[in-house]
Amino acid sequence: ILGLGIVVDNAIVIVENIYRHITKGELSKIEAAKKAAGEIALPVITGTLTTIAPFVPLLFWGGIIGKFMIYLPVTLILTLLASLLVALVMNPVFAVSFMNEDEDHIKKKKDHDNRFLWAASAVVGVLAVIFYLTGGMFVANLLVFLYLLWLMERFILKPLIRRFNHSLLPKIQTAYQNTIQWILIGTRPWYILGGTFGFLILSILLLNIVSPKVVFFPEGDPNFVYVYNKMADGTNLEETNRVNKEIEKRVYEVIGENNPVVKSVISNVAIGANPPNNIDPTPSPNQSKVSVEFVDYQYRDGVSTQEILNKIRDNVQNIPGTIITVEKEQSGPPSG
């Protein structure tokens, strides 16, 4: 958004400067574009660099946070540099292309475009046939596609732009001018300022009264369901295994023996039974885990694995002497 705003601001300045030179009648469109861009090149460059400057120190941010956040300054700097290139190179070309031309120049340009159209059609046609015959299907299709895009710009987009510049755009400019003139009469500017401030307060009140539902981290159906079993310290392995078999039995009561959405069911006792937030790899004879893996989302036929997780959580309760936790897979790296 920041880069887009700077592009728009620079475009307005450049186009207005080009138009000012053209209306004087001393320079042609191309010469006016060169002079106008040259006159404001230094202010545009310095303005963009001052916006980039606060983000340069973020490139040297160290540690894990720096590696994670480096994409923010890099993206902003590249976007602003690209906006500078657009302002000084692309916008003058577009401005010259869209501004009015005298009739003689339009006629000469139309004759030149017609000759170029026939020549380009012949070249593209010959090259496409050659690539089709030699097996270069991709290159031939790409040539035809680009040629069709050029034809669409030549016969559809450019006439629409010219029609917009001659019919709708003057009406918009006139309406905007009349509105500004009406606002600036008498005490109307104060009423407009007060009304704007009032709308600001009203928007804040409405936001507090009717708050939109915002989910910053939306959760989907789980791909895995983990049933963690933790018994008292000192519990022997045989007792933990006995309780884990009871948990596995209750899990199968929910999912069934041949459930098409279940890919596998794996039980771990002691080894590999720690939760993901426990970074200690030491086997714990008082802990076990039952893992249920589901098939990919597109093969579930609309079955909600979240509902299966809830049913498993309800069905494995009330087992004495143990603490049971039912969770889905966690995104991101484990943390201690």
Side-chain angles (χ1 to χ4, degrees), residues 175-218:
Y176 176 75
Q177 181 180 2
N178 295 335
T179 303
I180 296 298
Q181 290 177 348
W182 182 85
I183 290 175
L184 296 178
I185 296 175
T187 58
R188 290 174 184 172
W190 295 105
Y191 291 116
I192 296 298
L193 180 61
T196 304
F197 184 75
F199 276 116
L200 173 62
I201 301 301
L202 179 61
S203 64
I204 296 175
L205 294 176
L206 290 177
L207 187 62
N208 292 328
I209 296 174
V210 186
S211 300
K213 294 182 179 180
V214 179
V215 180
F216 292 102
F217 298 98

Side-chain angles (χ1 to χ4, degrees), residues 230-240 284-287:
K230 185 176 181 180
M231 306 185 71
D233 294 338
T235 304
N236 58 43
L237 190 63
E238 289 76 12
E239 179 63 16
T240 304
S284 302
N286 64 320
Q287 296 184 14

Side-chain angles (χ1 to χ4, degrees), residues 237-253:
L237 190 63
E238 289 76 12
E239 179 63 16
T240 304
N241 186 43
R242 183 191 68 79
V243 174
N244 188 75
K245 288 183 177 180
E246 175 64 21
I247 296 173
E248 187 174 350
K249 175 183 175 183
R250 297 193 181 191
V251 169
Y252 273 109
E253 289 177 358

Side-chain angles (χ1 to χ4, degrees), residues 1 48 66 86 112 130-131 166 235 261 314 328 331:
I1 296 175
T48 304
V86 170
H112 177 269
I130 292 174
F131 282 113
H166 286 84
T235 304
V261 301
D314 295 336
K328 65 179 181 179
S331 300

Side-chain angles (χ1 to χ4, degrees), residues 148-159:
L148 292 177
L149 286 181
W150 179 73
L151 289 179
M152 183 176 68
E153 186 272 338
R154 174 70 175 80
F155 295 103
I156 299 178
L157 296 181
K158 186 173 290 186

Side-chain angles (χ1 to χ4, degrees), residues 64-132:
I64 296 177
I65 300 300
K67 293 180 180 180
F68 178 76
M69 294 295 295
I70 192 173
Y71 300 102
L72 174 64
V74 168
T75 302
L76 287 169
I77 291 173
L78 291 179
T79 302
L80 294 175
L81 290 177
S83 70
L84 181 62
L85 177 65
V86 170
L88 297 179
V89 179
M90 304 299 294
N91 288 339
V93 176
F94 289 150
V96 171
S97 300
F98 295 151
M99 286 184 180
N100 294 330
E101 300 169 329
D102 55 86
E103 295 297 331
D104 294 337
H105 184 70
I106 293 176
K107 185 177 183 303
K108 293 178 180 179
K109 186 177 180 181
K110 185 175 181 180
D111 295 337
H112 177 269
D113 289 346
N114 290 335
R115 291 194 298 269
F116 180 78
L117 174 62
W118 288 107
S121 301
V123 172
V124 172
V126 172
L127 291 177
V129 170
I130 292 174
F131 282 113
Y132 276 126

